[in-house]
């Protein structure tokens, strides 16, 4: 019998009591696992498959082939020649030439310098192992039997590669100067675009938040316009402005817009609203007491700017810089339209996959592209985790004071930025309405007759609207419910952490990489999900997954504002969690739900990189039609389709605003009490 302590104030240790899981807890954990499995199947497994593909090498193993050559009478003397030995003797193929892709072929006649297809000489060829393969015309031979051929048949023999695993693809990539140069080009373009964009966006946001200039609302609307168009559109506008027959090409003083100059200008256009939003949020929050202290210490405005304003907005500036860097280095549409011979990583993936059908090298470039994207994302998250609150309970919100000289300066500056944004959109609309630039400038709607153009016709536009609507409805439902499960579940800390990690991963994966990984994963006949390949379903899944992270963060932010007492009260009243979710959580968080839906709709309309590998003839999209029409030389119709995307997104925004006002008026009345 164990001895009990004689101290009356001490009780023996009791057993650990684990709370019993309720039916609601089991339901929520099960639902979280289901959505986590969705992210595994649509993100983790495809990326793993793509990574495996990058290490999949194909090589011509000459030691696996043997030949016999007859005399001119067709008699064989029994001498066996190894393809490996023949190559060593005459040096027909180098080691680099023997390294190839999955579709590689090697003509055996190169091993016989005196070969002539008119010769009466006969040939025999066989595989020395079960892994050897060669083609006679279109007939595959994969056994070890001798195949006898005459000279005319022998010239049609092609050796096929053997699959193995290794770093050979990466070695070939980094030893190819043209491909390796794309890394330098991508980094250089991204850094320059980031510096220019963040600088311009900072002063624009500063003008709207720290001055008393007029027309702030108008300038905010103008600043957000580039979000509504695909990234290819500014490239088309720049071609009309500064191309070989551009309106104002003289302003470049002989330089070409096709290359780094065009990519940087276009990148500044389509990344500007992202940088502006982040920096504007950082500048909108400030403590007026700091500025009062600076005035009392007789600090100059310039010194106050560097010691108070910039440090207060530093986290926003850093976050904006990494967001812009990530957007530029992973963008495909703009460099494809206006990059010319200036290669970047995203375009290299497209060229390797679509142009050369070299999927293994496309996977290698994808891995290379993912590295800077993940690093930028990781640093951005680390910086955000160190951010501290700038406003305390005693803070006084900063209110700018009128300064006629400064206000006029900022008004002029914002007008110039607004002219840049509106000007590019106006040029695209002008290009879409003229008959034939620059020879016939009369107005016409013939460029909107998409059914006569290469690219998919009006069906592509309808498909894009279907994709956007399905993405908005399905994506919002999945994302918001998943965020609710993570934020409001009891216990299950490990599972919630894993789910959160999966939810954050899409933000770091470029669209081109995600699309290519879907080819490797879903196009495999052994995959039970192979049936969705080439359908609208895979486009919806890819788009929802690609834009999952921002939507998830928006939902989590809204849910964090709801006290967990709601769940406690619901449990005490013995009400099901799903009833609480439907009747309380969704109505309270409806503003965030509507924001997520319009975010997914707009991005589904404009996305190019994530879906460029996945569409079929029946599921072509408007953004892909812009790319295809531009490739075919139909630049004006491409501009017309791009403007249709812009007007559709603008209309969706207006409808969203009107609907939100009506719905929120009924569901959010409690906020004004």
């Amino acid at each position: 019998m164990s001895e009990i302590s004689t101290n009356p104030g001490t009780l023996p240790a009791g057993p650990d009591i684990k709370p019993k899981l309720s039916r609601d807890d089991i339901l929520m954990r099960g639902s979280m696992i289901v959505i986590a499995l969705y992210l595994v199947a649509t993100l983790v497994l495809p990326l793993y498959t793509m990574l495996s593909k990058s290490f999949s090498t194909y090589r011509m193993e000459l030691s696996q082939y043997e030949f016999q050559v007859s005399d001119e009478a067709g008699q064989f003397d029994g001498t066996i020649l190894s393809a490996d030995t023949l190559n060593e003797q005459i040096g027909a193929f180098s080691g680099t030439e023997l390294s190839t892709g999955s579709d590689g072929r090697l003509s055996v006649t190169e091993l016989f310098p005196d070969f002539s297809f008119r010769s009466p000489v006969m040939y025999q060829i066989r595989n020395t192992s079960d892994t050897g393969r060669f083609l006679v015309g279109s007939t595959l031979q994969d056994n070890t039997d001798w195949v006898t051929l005459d000279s005319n048949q022998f010239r049609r023999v092609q050796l096929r590669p053997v699959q193995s695993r290794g770093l050979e693809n990466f070695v070939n990539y980094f030893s190819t100067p043209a491909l390796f140069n794309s890394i330098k080009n991508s980094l250089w373009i991204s850094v320059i675009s980031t510096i220019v964009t963040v600088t311009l966006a900072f002063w624009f946001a500063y003008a709207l938040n720290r001055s008393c200039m007029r027309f702030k609302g108008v300038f905010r609307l103008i600043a957000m316009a580039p979000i509504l168009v695909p990234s290819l559109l500014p490239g088309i506008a720049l071609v009309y402005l500064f191309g070989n027959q551009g309106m104002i090409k003289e302003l470049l003083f002989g330089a070409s817009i096709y290359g780094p100059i065009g990519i940087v200008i276009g990148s500044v256009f389509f990344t500007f609203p992202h940088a502006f939003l982040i920096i504007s949020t950082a500048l909108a929050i400030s403590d007026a007491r700091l500025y009062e202290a600076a005035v009392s210490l007789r600090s100059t405005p310039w010194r106050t700017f560097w010691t108070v304003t910039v440090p207060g907005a530093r986290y926003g500036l850093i976050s904006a810089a990494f967001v812009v860097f990530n957007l530029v280095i992973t963008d495909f549409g703009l460099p494809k339209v206006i990059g010319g011979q200036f290669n970047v990583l995203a375009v290299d993936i497209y060229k390797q996959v679509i142009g050369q059908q070299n999927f293994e090298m496309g996977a290698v470039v994808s891995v290379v592209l993912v590295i800077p994207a993940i690093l930028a994302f990781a640093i951005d998250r680390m910086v955000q985790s160190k951010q501290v609150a700038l406003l305390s309970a005693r803070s006084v919100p900063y209110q700018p004071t009128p300064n006629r000289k400064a206000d006029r300066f900022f008004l002029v500056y914002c007008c110039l930025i607004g002219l840049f944004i509106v000007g590019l959109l106006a040029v695209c609309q002008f290009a879409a309405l003229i008959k034939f630039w620059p020879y016939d400038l009369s107005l016409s709607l013939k460029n909107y007759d998409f059914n006569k153009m290469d690219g998919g016709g009006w069906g592509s536009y309808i498909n894009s609207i279907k994709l956007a609507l399905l993405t908005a409805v399905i994506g919002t439902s999945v994302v918001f419910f998943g965020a609710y499960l993570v934020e409001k579940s009891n216990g299950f800390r490990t599972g919630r952490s894993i789910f959160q990690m999966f939810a954050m991963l899409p933000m770091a994966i470029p669209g081109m990489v995600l699309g290519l990984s879907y080819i490797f994963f879903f196009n495999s006949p052994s995959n039970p999900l192979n049936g969705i390949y080439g359908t609208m379903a895979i486009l919806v899944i890819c788009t929802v997954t690609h834009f999952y992270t921002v939507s998830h963060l928006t939902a989590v932010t809204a849910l964090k504002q709801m006290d967990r007492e709601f769940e406690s009260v619901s449990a005490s009243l013995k009400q099901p969690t799903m009833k609480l979710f439907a009747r309380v959580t969704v109505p309270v968080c409806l503003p965030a739900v509507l924001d997520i839906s319009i975010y997914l709709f707009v991005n589904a309309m404009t996305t190019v990189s994530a879906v460029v590998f996945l569409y079929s003839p029946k599921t072509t999209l408007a953004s892909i039609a812009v790319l295809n029409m531009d490739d075919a030389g139909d630049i004006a119709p491409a501009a017309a389709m791009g403007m249709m995307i812009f007007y559709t997104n603008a209309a969706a925004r207006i409808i969203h605003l009107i609907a939100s006002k009506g719905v929120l008026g009924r569901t959010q009345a409690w906020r004004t009490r």
Side-chain angles (χ1 to χ4, degrees):
M1 187 172 180
S2 60
E3 193 175 307
I4 301 176
S5 173
T6 58
N7 188 347
T10 302
L11 295 176
D16 292 333
I17 300 176
K18 295 183 178 180
K20 185 178 180 181
L21 292 178
S22 66
R23 185 176 64 179
D24 285 341
D25 289 335
I26 295 173
L27 176 63
M28 293 180 73
R29 294 187 184 189
S31 300
M32 191 187 306
I33 292 173
V34 169
I35 299 180
L37 289 175
Y38 160 81
L39 289 173
V40 169
T42 61
L43 183 67
V44 179
L45 292 180
L47 290 175
Y48 174 77
T49 306
M50 186 206 67
L51 182 63
S52 300
K53 195 74 173 179
S54 68
F55 293 102
S56 180
T57 62
Y58 290 86
R59 186 175 180 81
M60 299 294 181
E61 295 293 345
L62 298 182
S63 60
Q64 295 187 346
Y65 306 99
E66 291 182 341
F67 306 96
Q68 291 190 54
V69 183
S70 75
D71 55 24
E72 293 190 354
Q75 299 296 318
F76 294 94
D77 61 5
T79 303
I80 297 177
L81 304 173
S82 168
D84 196 22
T85 303
L86 290 172
N87 189 52
E88 289 178 1
Q89 292 174 354
I90 65 174
F93 306 109
S94 64
T96 305
E97 291 174 310
L98 295 176
S99 179
T100 181
S102 58
D103 199 41
R105 287 171 170 80
L106 203 65
S107 176
V108 296
T109 57
E110 298 293 331
L111 297 171
F112 299 90
D114 299 329
F115 173 80
S116 171
F117 71 93
R118 293 189 178 93
S119 170
V121 173
M122 300 289 290
Y123 295 86
Q124 286 187 330
I125 179 175
R126 72 172 179 181
N127 299 308
T128 60
S129 69
D130 293 334
T131 58
R133 300 181 304 156
F134 64 88
L135 291 170
V136 181
S138 59
T139 304
L140 179 66
Q141 302 290 336
D142 55 2
N143 53 46
T144 57
D145 298 332
W146 285 106
V147 179
T148 304
L149 307 166
D150 60 30
S151 295
N152 190 42
Q153 293 172 319
F154 189 66
R155 68 171 177 167
R156 301 174 61 202
V157 174
Q158 292 182 316
L159 306 183
R160 300 287 278 119
V162 176
Q163 185 177 9
S164 60
R165 303 189 68 79
L167 297 173
E168 197 166 342
N169 290 330
F170 289 90
V171 173
N172 290 340
Y173 175 80
F174 288 106
S175 61
T176 306
L179 292 175
F180 182 67
N181 198 45
S182 297
I183 301 176
K184 183 185 71 175
N185 290 345
S186 292
L187 292 174
W188 184 74
I189 285 293
S190 301
V191 170
I192 296 298
S193 300
T194 299
I195 294 172
V196 175
T197 304
V198 171
T199 302
L200 295 177
F202 174 80
W203 288 111
F204 194 89
Y206 187 89
L208 267 58
N209 288 279
R210 299 298 175 88
S211 76
C212 294
M213 57 171 278
R214 301 171 64 189
F215 310 118
K216 290 184 179 181
V218 175
F219 287 118
R220 286 186 187 276
L221 287 176
I222 292 174
M224 301 311 298
I227 285 182
L228 306 180
V229 299
S231 63
L232 302 91
L233 206 60
I236 294 173
L238 291 173
V239 169
Y240 275 92
L241 286 172
F242 304 105
N244 296 330
Q245 296 178 320
M247 306 175 191
I248 51 176
K249 64 178 181 180
E250 295 79 11
L251 294 181
L252 289 182
F253 302 103
S256 175
I257 195 67
Y258 301 100
I261 296 176
I263 298 175
V264 169
I265 296 174
S267 297
V268 171
F269 175 86
F270 85 84
T271 59
F272 183 86
H274 301 274
F276 165 71
L277 276 176
I278 297 171
I279 298 173
S280 183
T281 302
L283 289 173
I285 301 175
S286 185
D287 192 346
R289 296 177 302 167
L290 298 175
Y291 291 90
E292 293 171 359
V295 171
S296 65
L297 293 173
R298 298 181 180 179
S299 174
T300 63
W302 190 242
R303 186 177 181 184
T304 302
F305 172 78
W306 284 107
T307 56
V308 179
T309 304
V310 173
R314 66 184 183 275
Y315 291 110
L317 288 169
I318 295 172
S319 183
F322 282 112
V323 167
V324 171
F325 179 89
N326 227 337
L327 288 171
V328 175
I329 201 170
T330 59
D331 180 56
F332 157 74
L334 181 64
K336 180 68 175 64
V337 170
I338 203 168
Q341 301 302 314
F342 191 81
N343 290 334
V344 295
L345 287 170
V347 177
D348 273 354
I349 297 174
Y350 183 80
K351 288 180 178 179
Q352 292 294 329
V353 174
I354 302 298
Q356 302 181 28
Q357 297 291 300
N358 191 343
F359 292 92
E360 290 76 23
M361 191 58 70
V364 170
V365 184
S366 297
V367 173
V368 174
L369 180 59
V370 163
I371 294 173
I374 289 181
L375 285 176
F377 174 74
I379 296 173
D380 177 42
R381 300 305 302 175
M382 182 177 66
V383 168
Q384 288 188 24
S385 67
K386 295 182 179 181
Q387 187 171 0
V388 295
L390 296 178
L391 290 179
S392 64
R394 298 180 180 180
S395 296
V396 178
Y398 176 78
Q399 294 292 335
T401 56
N403 184 325
R404 183 173 297 180
K405 186 177 180 181
D407 292 344
R408 286 180 178 175
F409 171 80
F410 284 125
L411 180 61
V412 172
Y413 174 78
C414 290
C415 285
L416 292 175
I417 297 295
L419 180 63
F420 167 68
I421 294 173
V422 174
L424 288 185
L425 293 175
V427 168
C428 284
Q429 183 58 77
F430 174 72
L433 290 175
I434 59 175
K435 286 186 177 180
F436 187 51
W437 172 265
Y439 306 106
D440 186 354
L441 301 184
S442 58
L443 300 181
S444 170
L445 293 176
K446 73 167 192 173
N447 292 322
Y448 286 89
D449 192 0
F450 300 128
N451 291 330
K452 294 183 179 180
M453 314 292 177
D454 292 330
W458 279 102
S460 299
Y461 175 71
I462 301 299
N463 284 339
S464 277
I465 294 180
K466 290 179 181 177
L467 171 65
L469 290 173
L470 289 171
T471 300
V473 174
I474 297 173
T476 302
S477 303
V478 172
V479 171
F480 186 79
F481 188 55
Y484 175 78
L485 296 173
V486 169
E487 188 61 28
K488 300 300 182 180
S489 292
N490 296 317
F492 202 40
R493 182 175 299 178
T494 302
R496 290 160 63 189
S497 299
I498 295 174
F499 185 96
Q500 189 78 353
M501 179 185 68
F502 287 160
M504 298 303 293
L505 185 58
M507 188 73 162
I509 305 301
M512 291 286 290
V513 175
L514 186 64
L516 183 59
S517 67
Y518 272 40
I519 293 179
F520 297 139
F521 183 68
F522 288 102
N523 198 30
S524 172
S526 60
N527 189 337
L529 299 174
N530 174 259
I532 69 170
Y533 189 78
T535 66
M536 181 62 73
I538 196 170
L539 297 179
V540 173
I541 291 171
C542 182
T543 307
V544 170
T545 305
H546 186 207
F547 300 107
Y548 193 98
T549 302
V550 173
S551 305
H552 174 79
L553 291 175
T554 303
V556 167
T557 302
L559 289 165
K560 282 183 179 293
Q561 296 175 356
M562 290 187 62
D563 199 314
R564 293 184 69 90
E565 289 296 323
F566 284 101
E567 282 70 29
S568 301
V569 172
S570 175
S572 65
L573 295 175
K574 297 182 180 180
Q575 295 296 313
T577 300
M578 291 300 102
K579 188 175 182 180
L580 171 70
F581 174 77
R583 294 192 176 183
V584 179
T585 306
V586 172
V588 169
C589 296
L590 199 56
V593 172
L594 294 173
D595 287 343
I596 293 171
S597 65
I598 193 63
Y599 169 80
L600 291 174
F601 182 94
V602 169
N603 280 284
M605 285 293 298
T606 59
T607 186
V608 178
S609 57
V611 296
V612 71
F613 296 136
L614 301 176
Y615 71 94
S616 67
K618 293 182 179 179
T619 59
T620 53
L621 303 173
S623 56
I624 301 300
V626 176
L627 177 67
N628 292 338
M629 286 188 284
D630 180 78
D631 276 345
D634 296 327
I635 303 179
M641 182 66 87
M643 292 309 296
M644 286 301 301
I645 295 174
F646 171 72
Y647 292 132
T648 302
N649 282 335
R653 284 277 187 183
I654 294 171
I655 294 172
H656 169 262
L657 185 64
I658 296 172
S660 297
K661 193 171 182 180
V663 172
L664 298 181
R666 292 193 299 270
T667 62
Q668 306 296 309
W670 59 274
R671 294 180 182 268
T672 59
R673 292 179 181 175

